PDB file of all heavy atoms in Angstrom:
ATOM      1  N   VAL A   1     -87.742 -61.128-175.607  1.00 97.00           N
ATOM      2  CA  VAL A   1     -86.642 -61.356-176.574  1.00 97.00           C
ATOM      3  C   VAL A   1     -86.198 -59.984-177.041  1.00 97.00           C
ATOM      4  O   VAL A   1     -86.949 -59.140-177.374  1.00 97.00           O
ATOM      5  CB  VAL A   1     -87.114 -62.187-177.798  1.00 97.00           C
ATOM      6  CG1 VAL A   1     -85.938 -62.395-178.757  1.00 97.00           C
ATOM      7  CG2 VAL A   1     -87.771 -63.549-177.374  1.00 97.00           C
ATOM      8  N   SER A   2     -84.859 -59.877-177.041  1.00 97.00           N
ATOM      9  CA  SER A   2     -84.243 -58.563-177.474  1.00 97.00           C
ATOM     10  C   SER A   2     -82.951 -58.802-178.191  1.00 97.00           C
ATOM     11  O   SER A   2     -82.267 -59.845-177.909  1.00 97.00           O
ATOM     12  CB  SER A   2     -83.967 -57.703-176.220  1.00 97.00           C
ATOM     13  OG  SER A   2     -83.450 -56.448-176.652  1.00 97.00           O
ATOM     14  N   THR A   3     -82.686 -58.016-179.220  1.00 97.00           N
ATOM     15  CA  THR A   3     -81.371 -58.080-179.917  1.00 97.00           C
ATOM     16  C   THR A   3     -80.752 -56.734-179.989  1.00 97.00           C
ATOM     17  O   THR A   3     -81.458 -55.722-180.069  1.00 97.00           O
ATOM     18  CB  THR A   3     -81.598 -58.800-181.301  1.00 97.00           C
ATOM     19  OG1 THR A   3     -80.333 -59.085-181.822  1.00 97.00           O
ATOM     20  CG2 THR A   3     -82.371 -57.838-182.271  1.00 97.00           C
ATOM     21  N   ASP A   4     -79.463 -56.692-180.077  1.00 96.00           N
ATOM     22  CA  ASP A   4     -78.778 -55.401-180.128  1.00 96.00           C
ATOM     23  C   ASP A   4     -77.433 -55.596-180.805  1.00 96.00           C
ATOM     24  O   ASP A   4     -76.722 -56.640-180.585  1.00 96.00           O
ATOM     25  CB  ASP A   4     -78.510 -54.847-178.719  1.00 96.00           C
ATOM     26  CG  ASP A   4     -78.402 -53.444-178.659  1.00 96.00           C
ATOM     27  OD1 ASP A   4     -78.261 -52.748-179.724  1.00 96.00           O
ATOM     28  OD2 ASP A   4     -78.484 -52.794-177.516  1.00 96.00           O
ATOM     29  N   GLY A   5     -77.011 -54.619-181.593  1.00 95.00           N
ATOM     30  CA  GLY A   5     -75.749 -54.644-182.298  1.00 95.00           C
ATOM     31  C   GLY A   5     -74.741 -53.679-181.672  1.00 95.00           C
ATOM     32  O   GLY A   5     -75.185 -52.591-181.228  1.00 95.00           O
ATOM     33  N   PHE A   6     -73.489 -53.983-181.526  1.00 95.00           N
ATOM     34  CA  PHE A   6     -72.500 -53.160-180.830  1.00 95.00           C
ATOM     35  C   PHE A   6     -71.289 -52.916-181.762  1.00 95.00           C
ATOM     36  O   PHE A   6     -70.582 -53.843-182.186  1.00 95.00           O
ATOM     37  CB  PHE A   6     -72.029 -53.805-179.616  1.00 95.00           C
ATOM     38  CG  PHE A   6     -73.175 -54.124-178.612  1.00 95.00           C
ATOM     39  CD1 PHE A   6     -73.911 -55.267-178.707  1.00 95.00           C
ATOM     40  CD2 PHE A   6     -73.584 -53.171-177.686  1.00 95.00           C
ATOM     41  CE1 PHE A   6     -74.970 -55.556-177.925  1.00 95.00           C
ATOM     42  CE2 PHE A   6     -74.641 -53.407-176.878  1.00 95.00           C
ATOM     43  CZ  PHE A   6     -75.347 -54.610-177.001  1.00 95.00           C
ATOM     44  N   ILE A   7     -71.033 -51.665-182.070  1.00 93.00           N
ATOM     45  CA  ILE A   7     -69.976 -51.220-182.998  1.00 93.00           C
ATOM     46  C   ILE A   7     -69.154 -50.116-182.369  1.00 93.00           C
ATOM     47  O   ILE A   7     -68.689 -49.187-183.069  1.00 93.00           O
ATOM     48  CB  ILE A   7     -70.528 -50.840-184.355  1.00 93.00           C
ATOM     49  CG1 ILE A   7     -71.476 -49.598-184.241  1.00 93.00           C
ATOM     50  CG2 ILE A   7     -71.206 -52.017-185.000  1.00 93.00           C
ATOM     51  CD1 ILE A   7     -71.954 -49.053-185.593  1.00 93.00           C
ATOM     52  N   VAL A   8     -69.091 -50.125-180.997  1.00 91.00           N
ATOM     53  CA  VAL A   8     -68.482 -49.019-180.265  1.00 91.00           C
ATOM     54  C   VAL A   8     -67.041 -48.806-180.679  1.00 91.00           C
ATOM     55  O   VAL A   8     -66.224 -49.740-180.882  1.00 91.00           O
ATOM     56  CB  VAL A   8     -68.594 -49.240-178.705  1.00 91.00           C
ATOM     57  CG1 VAL A   8     -67.791 -50.487-178.340  1.00 91.00           C
ATOM     58  CG2 VAL A   8     -68.146 -48.021-177.977  1.00 91.00           C
ATOM     59  N   SER A   9     -66.696 -47.526-180.804  1.00 90.00           N
ATOM     60  CA  SER A   9     -65.327 -47.140-181.131  1.00 90.00           C
ATOM     61  C   SER A   9     -64.881 -46.034-180.148  1.00 90.00           C
ATOM     62  O   SER A   9     -65.554 -45.085-180.032  1.00 90.00           O
ATOM     63  CB  SER A   9     -65.192 -46.600-182.529  1.00 90.00           C
ATOM     64  OG  SER A   9     -63.859 -46.248-182.825  1.00 90.00           O
ATOM     65  N   PRO A  10     -63.770 -46.300-179.429  1.00 93.00           N
ATOM     66  CA  PRO A  10     -62.885 -47.420-179.484  1.00 93.00           C
ATOM     67  C   PRO A  10     -63.513 -48.636-178.784  1.00 93.00           C
ATOM     68  O   PRO A  10     -64.345 -48.499-177.892  1.00 93.00           O
ATOM     69  CB  PRO A  10     -61.659 -46.949-178.696  1.00 93.00           C
ATOM     70  CG  PRO A  10     -62.181 -45.924-177.731  1.00 93.00           C
ATOM     71  CD  PRO A  10     -63.277 -45.231-178.405  1.00 93.00           C
ATOM     72  N   ALA A  11     -62.987 -49.826-179.148  1.00 95.00           N
ATOM     73  CA  ALA A  11     -63.553 -51.072-178.606  1.00 95.00           C
ATOM     74  C   ALA A  11     -63.154 -51.339-177.104  1.00 95.00           C
ATOM     75  O   ALA A  11     -63.784 -52.066-176.417  1.00 95.00           O
ATOM     76  CB  ALA A  11     -63.135 -52.266-179.453  1.00 95.00           C
ATOM     77  N   PHE A  12     -62.094 -50.624-176.708  1.00 96.00           N
ATOM     78  CA  PHE A  12     -61.644 -50.700-175.332  1.00 96.00           C
ATOM     79  C   PHE A  12     -61.574 -49.311-174.696  1.00 96.00           C
ATOM     80  O   PHE A  12     -61.128 -48.397-175.390  1.00 96.00           O
ATOM     81  CB  PHE A  12     -60.211 -51.385-175.251  1.00 96.00           C
ATOM     82  CG  PHE A  12     -60.154 -52.727-175.746  1.00 96.00           C
ATOM     83  CD1 PHE A  12     -60.048 -53.034-177.090  1.00 96.00           C
ATOM     84  CD2 PHE A  12     -60.206 -53.798-174.853  1.00 96.00           C
ATOM     85  CE1 PHE A  12     -60.059 -54.331-177.571  1.00 96.00           C
ATOM     86  CE2 PHE A  12     -60.181 -55.160-175.295  1.00 96.00           C
ATOM     87  CZ  PHE A  12     -60.102 -55.383-176.666  1.00 96.00           C
ATOM     88  N   TYR A  13     -62.086 -49.187-173.599  1.00 95.00           N
ATOM     89  CA  TYR A  13     -62.210 -47.826-172.912  1.00 95.00           C
ATOM     90  C   TYR A  13     -62.230 -47.984-171.403  1.00 95.00           C
ATOM     91  O   TYR A  13     -62.410 -49.151-170.872  1.00 95.00           O
ATOM     92  CB  TYR A  13     -63.492 -47.148-173.338  1.00 95.00           C
ATOM     93  CG  TYR A  13     -64.750 -48.008-173.215  1.00 95.00           C
ATOM     94  CD1 TYR A  13     -65.378 -48.147-171.976  1.00 95.00           C
ATOM     95  CD2 TYR A  13     -65.168 -48.796-174.265  1.00 95.00           C
ATOM     96  CE1 TYR A  13     -66.527 -48.931-171.861  1.00 95.00           C
ATOM     97  CE2 TYR A  13     -66.234 -49.598-174.191  1.00 95.00           C
ATOM     98  CZ  TYR A  13     -66.991 -49.697-172.938  1.00 95.00           C
ATOM     99  OH  TYR A  13     -68.045 -50.471-172.787  1.00 95.00           O
ATOM    100  N   PRO A  14     -61.907 -46.983-170.622  1.00 95.00           N
ATOM    101  CA  PRO A  14     -61.894 -47.110-169.155  1.00 95.00           C
ATOM    102  C   PRO A  14     -63.218 -47.605-168.582  1.00 95.00           C
ATOM    103  O   PRO A  14     -64.256 -47.005-168.876  1.00 95.00           O
ATOM    104  CB  PRO A  14     -61.638 -45.655-168.654  1.00 95.00           C
ATOM    105  CG  PRO A  14     -60.854 -45.002-169.776  1.00 95.00           C
ATOM    106  CD  PRO A  14     -61.507 -45.601-171.038  1.00 95.00           C
ATOM    107  N   GLY A  15     -63.191 -48.698-167.992  1.00 96.00           N
ATOM    108  CA  GLY A  15     -64.352 -49.306-167.328  1.00 96.00           C
ATOM    109  C   GLY A  15     -65.041 -50.381-168.145  1.00 96.00           C
ATOM    110  O   GLY A  15     -65.978 -50.955-167.708  1.00 96.00           O
ATOM    111  N   GLY A  16     -64.416 -50.778-169.308  1.00 96.00           N
ATOM    112  CA  GLY A  16     -65.067 -51.794-170.058  1.00 96.00           C
ATOM    113  C   GLY A  16     -64.498 -51.981-171.445  1.00 96.00           C
ATOM    114  O   GLY A  16     -63.510 -51.342-171.865  1.00 96.00           O
ATOM    115  N   ASN A  17     -65.108 -52.854-172.240  1.00 97.00           N
ATOM    116  CA  ASN A  17     -64.837 -52.971-173.646  1.00 97.00           C
ATOM    117  C   ASN A  17     -66.041 -53.501-174.382  1.00 97.00           C
ATOM    118  O   ASN A  17     -67.107 -53.722-173.743  1.00 97.00           O
ATOM    119  CB  ASN A  17     -63.632 -53.986-173.809  1.00 97.00           C
ATOM    120  CG  ASN A  17     -63.874 -55.386-173.346  1.00 97.00           C
ATOM    121  OD1 ASN A  17     -64.942 -55.984-173.527  1.00 97.00           O
ATOM    122  ND2 ASN A  17     -62.898 -55.896-172.608  1.00 97.00           N
ATOM    123  N   ILE A  18     -65.970 -53.702-175.631  1.00 97.00           N
ATOM    124  CA  ILE A  18     -67.136 -53.993-176.466  1.00 97.00           C
ATOM    125  C   ILE A  18     -67.705 -55.352-176.023  1.00 97.00           C
ATOM    126  O   ILE A  18     -68.951 -55.582-176.154  1.00 97.00           O
ATOM    127  CB  ILE A  18     -66.853 -54.030-177.938  1.00 97.00           C
ATOM    128  CG1 ILE A  18     -68.089 -54.088-178.789  1.00 97.00           C
ATOM    129  CG2 ILE A  18     -65.768 -55.093-178.306  1.00 97.00           C
ATOM    130  CD1 ILE A  18     -67.845 -53.949-180.302  1.00 97.00           C
ATOM    131  N   GLY A  19     -66.918 -56.260-175.475  1.00 98.00           N
ATOM    132  CA  GLY A  19     -67.427 -57.532-175.064  1.00 98.00           C
ATOM    133  C   GLY A  19     -68.347 -57.351-173.801  1.00 98.00           C
ATOM    134  O   GLY A  19     -69.437 -57.929-173.804  1.00 98.00           O
ATOM    135  N   LYS A  20     -67.854 -56.690-172.900  1.00 98.00           N
ATOM    136  CA  LYS A  20     -68.700 -56.433-171.661  1.00 98.00           C
ATOM    137  C   LYS A  20     -69.976 -55.692-172.028  1.00 98.00           C
ATOM    138  O   LYS A  20     -71.052 -56.015-171.485  1.00 98.00           O
ATOM    139  CB  LYS A  20     -67.869 -55.591-170.633  1.00 98.00           C
ATOM    140  CG  LYS A  20     -68.637 -55.251-169.391  1.00 98.00           C
ATOM    141  CD  LYS A  20     -67.809 -54.374-168.413  1.00 98.00           C
ATOM    142  CE  LYS A  20     -68.573 -54.006-167.190  1.00 98.00           C
ATOM    143  NZ  LYS A  20     -67.773 -53.242-166.202  1.00 98.00           N
ATOM    144  N   LEU A  21     -69.866 -54.677-172.893  1.00 97.00           N
ATOM    145  CA  LEU A  21     -70.983 -53.878-173.344  1.00 97.00           C
ATOM    146  C   LEU A  21     -71.983 -54.789-174.017  1.00 97.00           C
ATOM    147  O   LEU A  21     -73.220 -54.588-173.866  1.00 97.00           O
ATOM    148  CB  LEU A  21     -70.530 -52.777-174.327  1.00 97.00           C
ATOM    149  CG  LEU A  21     -71.510 -51.812-174.793  1.00 97.00           C
ATOM    150  CD1 LEU A  21     -72.166 -51.043-173.646  1.00 97.00           C
ATOM    151  CD2 LEU A  21     -70.887 -50.867-175.773  1.00 97.00           C
ATOM    152  N   SER A  22     -71.563 -55.752-174.869  1.00 98.00           N
ATOM    153  CA  SER A  22     -72.501 -56.564-175.581  1.00 98.00           C
ATOM    154  C   SER A  22     -73.328 -57.418-174.721  1.00 98.00           C
ATOM    155  O   SER A  22     -74.529 -57.770-175.110  1.00 98.00           O
ATOM    156  CB  SER A  22     -71.705 -57.481-176.544  1.00 98.00           C
ATOM    157  OG  SER A  22     -71.020 -58.496-175.967  1.00 98.00           O
ATOM    158  N   ILE A  23     -72.845 -57.831-173.540  1.00 98.00           N
ATOM    159  CA  ILE A  23     -73.591 -58.547-172.592  1.00 98.00           C
ATOM    160  C   ILE A  23     -74.528 -57.678-171.843  1.00 98.00           C
ATOM    161  O   ILE A  23     -75.744 -57.909-171.681  1.00 98.00           O
ATOM    162  CB  ILE A  23     -72.706 -59.403-171.620  1.00 98.00           C
ATOM    163  CG1 ILE A  23     -71.770 -60.289-172.436  1.00 98.00           C
ATOM    164  CG2 ILE A  23     -73.558 -60.120-170.681  1.00 98.00           C
ATOM    165  CD1 ILE A  23     -72.462 -61.408-173.169  1.00 98.00           C
ATOM    166  N   CYS A  24     -74.054 -56.587-171.288  1.00 98.00           N
ATOM    167  CA  CYS A  24     -74.756 -55.643-170.505  1.00 98.00           C
ATOM    168  C   CYS A  24     -75.972 -55.089-171.295  1.00 98.00           C
ATOM    169  O   CYS A  24     -77.108 -54.945-170.755  1.00 98.00           O
ATOM    170  CB  CYS A  24     -73.922 -54.538-170.027  1.00 98.00           C
ATOM    171  SG  CYS A  24     -72.659 -55.005-168.778  1.00 98.00           S
ATOM    172  N   GLY A  25     -75.690 -54.653-172.570  1.00 97.00           N
ATOM    173  CA  GLY A  25     -76.753 -54.013-173.354  1.00 97.00           C
ATOM    174  C   GLY A  25     -78.034 -54.868-173.502  1.00 97.00           C
ATOM    175  O   GLY A  25     -79.108 -54.409-173.287  1.00 97.00           O
ATOM    176  N   THR A  26     -77.808 -56.153-173.860  1.00 98.00           N
ATOM    177  CA  THR A  26     -78.969 -57.029-174.016  1.00 98.00           C
ATOM    178  C   THR A  26     -79.555 -57.546-172.736  1.00 98.00           C
ATOM    179  O   THR A  26     -80.794 -57.588-172.550  1.00 98.00           O
ATOM    180  CB  THR A  26     -78.569 -58.215-174.961  1.00 98.00           C
ATOM    181  OG1 THR A  26     -78.208 -57.730-176.267  1.00 98.00           O
ATOM    182  CG2 THR A  26     -79.740 -59.206-175.123  1.00 98.00           C
ATOM    183  N   VAL A  27     -78.739 -57.875-171.766  1.00 98.00           N
ATOM    184  CA  VAL A  27     -79.251 -58.164-170.435  1.00 98.00           C
ATOM    185  C   VAL A  27     -80.063 -57.066-169.854  1.00 98.00           C
ATOM    186  O   VAL A  27     -81.157 -57.329-169.263  1.00 98.00           O
ATOM    187  CB  VAL A  27     -77.992 -58.543-169.475  1.00 98.00           C
ATOM    188  CG1 VAL A  27     -78.448 -58.463-168.034  1.00 98.00           C
ATOM    189  CG2 VAL A  27     -77.464 -59.918-169.776  1.00 98.00           C
TER     190      VAL A  27
END
């Protein structure tokens, strides 16, 4: 079990966004 918070700024950047990151980080 793992949990992670994502507050990346900017939320959109070349190659991804905070949504993609939030899945990748915990996966």
